[in-house]
Short mmCIF file of all heavy atoms in Angstrom, two decimals:
data_model
loop_
_atom_site.label_atom_id
_atom_site.label_comp_id
_atom_site.label_asym_id
_atom_site.label_seq_id
_atom_site.Cartn_x
_atom_site.Cartn_y
_atom_site.Cartn_z
N ASP A 110 77.94 36.89 52.30
CA ASP A 110 78.73 37.92 52.97
C ASP A 110 78.02 39.28 52.92
O ASP A 110 77.99 40.01 53.91
CB ASP A 110 80.11 38.01 52.29
CG ASP A 110 81.11 38.79 53.11
OD1 ASP A 110 81.10 38.65 54.36
OD2 ASP A 110 81.91 39.53 52.53
N ILE A 111 77.46 39.61 51.76
CA ILE A 111 76.73 40.88 51.61
C ILE A 111 75.51 40.89 52.53
O ILE A 111 75.24 41.87 53.23
CB ILE A 111 76.32 41.10 50.14
CG1 ILE A 111 77.55 41.33 49.26
CG2 ILE A 111 75.36 42.29 50.02
CD1 ILE A 111 77.26 41.32 47.77
N CYS A 112 74.77 39.79 52.54
CA CYS A 112 73.57 39.71 53.38
C CYS A 112 73.93 39.82 54.87
O CYS A 112 73.23 40.47 55.64
CB CYS A 112 72.82 38.40 53.12
SG CYS A 112 72.01 38.33 51.51
N ARG A 113 75.03 39.20 55.26
CA ARG A 113 75.46 39.27 56.65
C ARG A 113 75.87 40.70 57.00
O ARG A 113 75.47 41.24 58.03
CB ARG A 113 76.63 38.31 56.90
CG ARG A 113 77.12 38.29 58.35
CD ARG A 113 78.16 37.22 58.60
NE ARG A 113 79.32 37.35 57.73
CZ ARG A 113 79.63 36.49 56.77
NH1 ARG A 113 78.87 35.43 56.53
NH2 ARG A 113 80.70 36.69 56.02
N GLY A 114 76.65 41.34 56.14
CA GLY A 114 77.13 42.69 56.41
C GLY A 114 76.00 43.70 56.54
O GLY A 114 76.02 44.56 57.41
N PHE A 115 74.99 43.58 55.67
CA PHE A 115 73.89 44.53 55.67
C PHE A 115 72.67 44.02 56.45
O PHE A 115 71.62 44.66 56.44
CB PHE A 115 73.47 44.86 54.23
CG PHE A 115 74.42 45.77 53.50
CD1 PHE A 115 75.44 45.24 52.73
CD2 PHE A 115 74.32 47.14 53.62
CE1 PHE A 115 76.33 46.08 52.05
CE2 PHE A 115 75.20 47.98 52.95
CZ PHE A 115 76.21 47.45 52.17
N GLU A 116 72.83 42.84 57.08
CA GLU A 116 71.74 42.24 57.87
C GLU A 116 70.48 42.07 57.03
O GLU A 116 69.36 42.42 57.42
CB GLU A 116 71.46 43.08 59.13
CG GLU A 116 72.67 43.15 60.06
CD GLU A 116 72.42 44.02 61.29
OE1 GLU A 116 71.31 44.59 61.39
OE2 GLU A 116 73.32 44.12 62.14
N ILE A 117 70.67 41.51 55.83
CA ILE A 117 69.55 41.24 54.91
C ILE A 117 68.98 39.86 55.23
O ILE A 117 69.71 38.87 55.23
CB ILE A 117 70.03 41.31 53.45
CG1 ILE A 117 70.54 42.71 53.12
CG2 ILE A 117 68.92 40.90 52.50
CD1 ILE A 117 71.25 42.82 51.78
N VAL A 118 67.70 39.80 55.49
CA VAL A 118 67.07 38.52 55.85
C VAL A 118 66.91 37.67 54.59
O VAL A 118 66.90 38.18 53.46
CB VAL A 118 65.70 38.74 56.53
CG1 VAL A 118 65.88 39.49 57.84
CG2 VAL A 118 64.74 39.49 55.61
N ASP A 119 66.74 36.36 54.79
CA ASP A 119 66.66 35.42 53.67
C ASP A 119 65.56 35.80 52.67
O ASP A 119 65.74 35.72 51.45
CB ASP A 119 66.41 34.00 54.18
CG ASP A 119 67.63 33.44 54.91
OD1 ASP A 119 68.72 34.04 54.78
OD2 ASP A 119 67.49 32.42 55.61
N ASP A 120 64.40 36.24 53.18
CA ASP A 120 63.28 36.57 52.30
C ASP A 120 63.55 37.78 51.41
O ASP A 120 62.88 37.98 50.40
CB ASP A 120 62.02 36.86 53.13
CG ASP A 120 61.46 35.58 53.76
OD1 ASP A 120 61.93 34.49 53.37
OD2 ASP A 120 60.58 35.69 54.63
N ALA A 121 64.53 38.60 51.80
CA ALA A 121 64.82 39.82 51.03
C ALA A 121 65.93 39.61 50.01
O ALA A 121 66.32 40.55 49.32
CB ALA A 121 65.19 40.96 51.98
N PHE A 122 66.46 38.37 49.93
CA PHE A 122 67.51 38.07 48.94
C PHE A 122 66.84 37.57 47.65
O PHE A 122 66.08 36.61 47.67
CB PHE A 122 68.45 37.00 49.51
CG PHE A 122 69.40 36.44 48.49
CD1 PHE A 122 70.36 37.24 47.89
CD2 PHE A 122 69.33 35.10 48.10
CE1 PHE A 122 71.25 36.73 46.95
CE2 PHE A 122 70.20 34.58 47.16
CZ PHE A 122 71.16 35.40 46.58
N VAL A 123 67.13 38.25 46.55
CA VAL A 123 66.53 37.90 45.26
C VAL A 123 67.64 37.50 44.29
O VAL A 123 68.58 38.26 44.08
CB VAL A 123 65.73 39.09 44.67
CG1 VAL A 123 65.15 38.72 43.31
CG2 VAL A 123 64.64 39.52 45.63
N HIS A 124 67.50 36.31 43.70
CA HIS A 124 68.47 35.84 42.70
C HIS A 124 67.72 35.61 41.40
O HIS A 124 66.83 34.77 41.33
CB HIS A 124 69.10 34.53 43.21
CG HIS A 124 70.14 33.98 42.28
ND1 HIS A 124 69.84 33.13 41.25
CD2 HIS A 124 71.48 34.17 42.23
CE1 HIS A 124 70.96 32.81 40.60
NE2 HIS A 124 71.96 33.43 41.18
N THR A 125 68.07 36.39 40.38
CA THR A 125 67.28 36.34 39.14
C THR A 125 67.78 35.32 38.13
O THR A 125 67.14 35.08 37.12
CB THR A 125 67.26 37.73 38.46
OG1 THR A 125 68.61 38.13 38.21
CG2 THR A 125 66.60 38.76 39.35
N GLY A 126 68.97 34.73 38.36
CA GLY A 126 69.47 33.71 37.45
C GLY A 126 70.42 34.27 36.40
O GLY A 126 70.33 35.43 36.02
N PHE A 127 71.33 33.40 35.95
CA PHE A 127 72.37 33.83 35.02
C PHE A 127 72.18 33.26 33.61
O PHE A 127 72.84 33.70 32.68
CB PHE A 127 73.75 33.35 35.53
CG PHE A 127 74.23 34.09 36.75
CD1 PHE A 127 73.96 33.60 38.01
CD2 PHE A 127 74.94 35.27 36.62
CE1 PHE A 127 74.41 34.28 39.13
CE2 PHE A 127 75.39 35.96 37.73
CZ PHE A 127 75.11 35.46 38.99
N TYR A 128 71.34 32.27 33.45
CA TYR A 128 71.28 31.55 32.18
C TYR A 128 70.76 32.42 31.05
O TYR A 128 69.71 33.04 31.15
CB TYR A 128 70.42 30.30 32.31
CG TYR A 128 70.33 29.47 31.05
CD1 TYR A 128 71.49 29.13 30.35
CD2 TYR A 128 69.11 29.05 30.55
CE1 TYR A 128 71.43 28.38 29.19
CE2 TYR A 128 69.03 28.28 29.39
CZ TYR A 128 70.20 27.97 28.71
OH TYR A 128 70.13 27.22 27.55
N ARG A 129 71.53 32.46 29.94
CA ARG A 129 71.16 33.20 28.74
C ARG A 129 71.14 32.21 27.57
O ARG A 129 72.19 31.90 26.99
CB ARG A 129 72.19 34.31 28.46
CG ARG A 129 72.33 35.36 29.57
CD ARG A 129 71.32 36.48 29.41
NE ARG A 129 71.40 37.10 28.10
CZ ARG A 129 72.35 37.98 27.73
NH1 ARG A 129 73.30 38.34 28.59
NH2 ARG A 129 72.35 38.51 26.52
N PRO A 130 69.98 31.69 27.20
CA PRO A 130 69.93 30.63 26.18
C PRO A 130 70.38 31.06 24.80
O PRO A 130 70.70 30.22 23.95
CB PRO A 130 68.44 30.23 26.17
CG PRO A 130 67.71 31.38 26.76
CD PRO A 130 68.65 32.00 27.74
N ASN A 131 70.44 32.37 24.54
CA ASN A 131 70.84 32.83 23.19
C ASN A 131 72.34 33.01 23.04
O ASN A 131 72.82 33.37 21.96
CB ASN A 131 70.13 34.14 22.84
CG ASN A 131 70.52 35.28 23.77
OD1 ASN A 131 70.57 35.10 24.98
ND2 ASN A 131 70.80 36.46 23.22
N LEU A 132 73.12 32.75 24.10
CA LEU A 132 74.58 32.89 24.02
C LEU A 132 75.24 31.53 23.80
O LEU A 132 75.02 30.60 24.57
CB LEU A 132 75.13 33.53 25.29
CG LEU A 132 74.63 34.93 25.67
CD1 LEU A 132 75.42 35.46 26.87
CD2 LEU A 132 74.72 35.88 24.50
N THR A 133 76.06 31.45 22.76
CA THR A 133 76.85 30.24 22.49
C THR A 133 78.26 30.48 23.01
O THR A 133 78.95 31.38 22.53
CB THR A 133 76.89 29.92 20.98
OG1 THR A 133 75.56 29.67 20.53
CG2 THR A 133 77.76 28.71 20.70
N LEU A 134 78.67 29.68 24.00
CA LEU A 134 79.99 29.85 24.61
C LEU A 134 80.99 28.91 23.95
O LEU A 134 80.87 27.68 24.05
CB LEU A 134 79.93 29.59 26.12
CG LEU A 134 78.88 30.39 26.91
CD1 LEU A 134 79.10 30.21 28.41
CD2 LEU A 134 78.93 31.87 26.56
N ARG A 135 81.97 29.49 23.27
CA ARG A 135 83.00 28.70 22.58
C ARG A 135 84.35 28.89 23.27
O ARG A 135 84.63 29.94 23.86
CB ARG A 135 83.14 29.15 21.11
CG ARG A 135 81.89 29.21 20.27
CD ARG A 135 81.14 27.90 20.16
NE ARG A 135 81.93 26.80 19.65
CZ ARG A 135 81.71 26.17 18.49
NH1 ARG A 135 80.74 26.58 17.70
NH2 ARG A 135 82.44 25.14 18.13
N VAL A 136 85.19 27.86 23.18
CA VAL A 136 86.56 27.92 23.70
C VAL A 136 87.48 27.33 22.64
O VAL A 136 87.26 26.20 22.18
CB VAL A 136 86.73 27.12 25.02
CG1 VAL A 136 88.17 27.19 25.50
CG2 VAL A 136 85.79 27.65 26.10
N THR A 137 88.49 28.10 22.24
CA THR A 137 89.46 27.62 21.25
C THR A 137 90.86 27.78 21.83
O THR A 137 91.25 28.88 22.22
CB THR A 137 89.35 28.42 19.94
OG1 THR A 137 88.02 28.33 19.44
CG2 THR A 137 90.34 27.91 18.89
N PHE A 138 91.60 26.69 21.90
CA PHE A 138 92.98 26.76 22.37
C PHE A 138 93.88 27.17 21.22
O PHE A 138 93.75 26.66 20.09
CB PHE A 138 93.45 25.41 22.91
CG PHE A 138 92.78 25.04 24.21
CD1 PHE A 138 92.69 23.72 24.61
CD2 PHE A 138 92.24 26.01 25.04
CE1 PHE A 138 92.08 23.38 25.81
CE2 PHE A 138 91.64 25.69 26.24
CZ PHE A 138 91.55 24.36 26.62
N CYS A 139 94.79 28.10 21.48
CA CYS A 139 95.72 28.52 20.44
C CYS A 139 96.95 29.15 21.09
O CYS A 139 96.92 29.52 22.27
CB CYS A 139 95.07 29.51 19.48
SG CYS A 139 94.36 30.95 20.29
N SER A 140 98.01 29.24 20.33
CA SER A 140 99.23 29.88 20.84
C SER A 140 99.03 31.38 20.85
O SER A 140 98.18 31.92 20.13
CB SER A 140 100.42 29.53 19.96
OG SER A 140 100.24 30.10 18.67
N SER A 141 99.83 32.08 21.66
CA SER A 141 99.72 33.54 21.72
C SER A 141 99.93 34.16 20.36
O SER A 141 99.27 35.14 20.00
CB SER A 141 100.75 34.09 22.72
OG SER A 141 100.47 33.62 24.01
N GLY A 142 100.87 33.62 19.57
CA GLY A 142 101.20 34.21 18.27
C GLY A 142 100.15 33.99 17.21
O GLY A 142 100.17 34.67 16.18
N GLY A 143 99.21 33.06 17.41
CA GLY A 143 98.24 32.76 16.36
C GLY A 143 96.88 33.39 16.57
O GLY A 143 95.96 33.18 15.76
N LYS A 144 96.72 34.18 17.63
CA LYS A 144 95.39 34.68 17.98
C LYS A 144 94.86 35.71 16.98
O LYS A 144 93.67 35.71 16.64
CB LYS A 144 95.41 35.28 19.39
CG LYS A 144 95.56 34.25 20.48
CD LYS A 144 95.51 34.91 21.84
CE LYS A 144 95.65 33.88 22.95
NZ LYS A 144 95.59 34.51 24.28
N THR A 145 95.71 36.62 16.53
CA THR A 145 95.23 37.68 15.64
C THR A 145 94.74 37.10 14.31
O THR A 145 93.69 37.52 13.79
CB THR A 145 96.34 38.72 15.40
OG1 THR A 145 96.81 39.19 16.68
CG2 THR A 145 95.82 39.91 14.62
N GLU A 146 95.49 36.14 13.77
CA GLU A 146 95.07 35.49 12.52
C GLU A 146 93.75 34.76 12.72
O GLU A 146 92.87 34.78 11.85
CB GLU A 146 96.14 34.52 12.04
CG GLU A 146 97.36 35.19 11.42
CD GLU A 146 97.00 36.04 10.20
OE1 GLU A 146 96.17 35.59 9.38
OE2 GLU A 146 97.53 37.16 10.07
N LEU A 147 93.60 34.11 13.89
CA LEU A 147 92.36 33.39 14.17
C LEU A 147 91.19 34.37 14.27
O LEU A 147 90.10 34.11 13.73
CB LEU A 147 92.50 32.62 15.49
CG LEU A 147 91.31 31.76 15.91
CD1 LEU A 147 91.03 30.68 14.89
CD2 LEU A 147 91.55 31.15 17.27
N LEU A 148 91.42 35.51 14.90
CA LEU A 148 90.38 36.54 14.98
C LEU A 148 89.96 37.03 13.60
O LEU A 148 88.77 37.18 13.31
CB LEU A 148 90.88 37.73 15.80
CG LEU A 148 90.56 37.76 17.29
CD1 LEU A 148 91.18 39.00 17.91
CD2 LEU A 148 89.05 37.76 17.52
N LEU A 149 90.96 37.29 12.76
CA LEU A 149 90.66 37.73 11.39
C LEU A 149 89.80 36.72 10.66
O LEU A 149 88.85 37.07 9.95
CB LEU A 149 91.96 37.96 10.62
CG LEU A 149 92.63 39.31 10.83
CD1 LEU A 149 94.06 39.28 10.28
CD2 LEU A 149 91.83 40.42 10.16
N ASP A 150 90.12 35.45 10.85
CA ASP A 150 89.35 34.38 10.21
C ASP A 150 87.91 34.39 10.72
O ASP A 150 86.96 34.26 9.92
CB ASP A 150 90.01 33.03 10.53
CG ASP A 150 89.25 31.87 9.91
OD1 ASP A 150 89.27 31.75 8.67
OD2 ASP A 150 88.63 31.10 10.67
N ARG A 151 87.75 34.58 12.04
CA ARG A 151 86.40 34.62 12.61
C ARG A 151 85.61 35.82 12.06
O ARG A 151 84.45 35.70 11.70
CB ARG A 151 86.48 34.73 14.13
CG ARG A 151 87.13 33.54 14.83
CD ARG A 151 86.22 32.33 14.77
NE ARG A 151 86.67 31.29 15.67
CZ ARG A 151 87.40 30.23 15.32
NH1 ARG A 151 87.79 30.10 14.05
NH2 ARG A 151 87.74 29.32 16.21
N LEU A 152 86.24 36.98 12.01
CA LEU A 152 85.54 38.19 11.57
C LEU A 152 85.14 38.10 10.10
O LEU A 152 84.10 38.64 9.68
CB LEU A 152 86.42 39.42 11.80
CG LEU A 152 86.71 39.78 13.27
CD1 LEU A 152 87.72 40.91 13.36
CD2 LEU A 152 85.43 40.15 14.01
N LYS A 153 85.96 37.41 9.29
CA LYS A 153 85.67 37.29 7.86
C LYS A 153 84.58 36.25 7.58
O LYS A 153 83.76 36.42 6.67
CB LYS A 153 86.94 36.90 7.09
CG LYS A 153 87.92 38.05 6.92
CD LYS A 153 89.17 37.55 6.18
CE LYS A 153 90.19 38.69 6.03
NZ LYS A 153 91.45 38.20 5.41
N ASN A 154 84.61 35.13 8.33
CA ASN A 154 83.76 34.00 7.99
C ASN A 154 82.47 33.88 8.79
O ASN A 154 81.65 33.02 8.50
CB ASN A 154 84.57 32.70 8.13
CG ASN A 154 85.69 32.64 7.11
OD1 ASN A 154 85.49 32.85 5.93
ND2 ASN A 154 86.91 32.37 7.58
N ARG A 155 82.29 34.73 9.77
CA ARG A 155 81.03 34.74 10.51
C ARG A 155 80.19 35.92 10.02
O ARG A 155 80.73 36.91 9.54
CB ARG A 155 81.30 34.86 12.02
CG ARG A 155 81.79 33.56 12.62
CD ARG A 155 82.13 33.69 14.10
NE ARG A 155 82.42 32.38 14.67
CZ ARG A 155 83.01 32.17 15.84
NH1 ARG A 155 83.39 33.21 16.57
NH2 ARG A 155 83.21 30.95 16.29
#
């Protein structure tokens, strides 16, 4: 959409990539009421 709006040709589009190998992505399911205690645990033990 941006390229079309600004009439940017294919050769002028640069994509540098998103991958960051040093980032560990974690997901933890928890109830709304338990988040603060979980955060405290993370801050203390990491």
Side-chain angles (χ1 to χ4, degrees):
D110 194 38
I111 292 170
C112 289
R113 182 173 57 248
F115 285 93
E116 298 178 358
I117 297 170
V118 297
D119 290 346
D120 289 349
F122 169 65
V123 178
H124 181 272
T125 58
F127 289 92
Y128 181 49
R129 299 273 305 283
N131 63 315
L132 300 187
T133 298
L134 306 190
R135 308 301 305 245
V136 179
T137 303
F138 290 157
C139 55
S140 66
S141 297
K144 289 182 179 181
T145 306
E146 285 300 318
L147 183 62
L148 266 178
L149 277 167
D150 180 69
R151 297 288 193 262
L152 294 173
K153 285 178 181 176
N154 294 310
R155 285 177 172 166

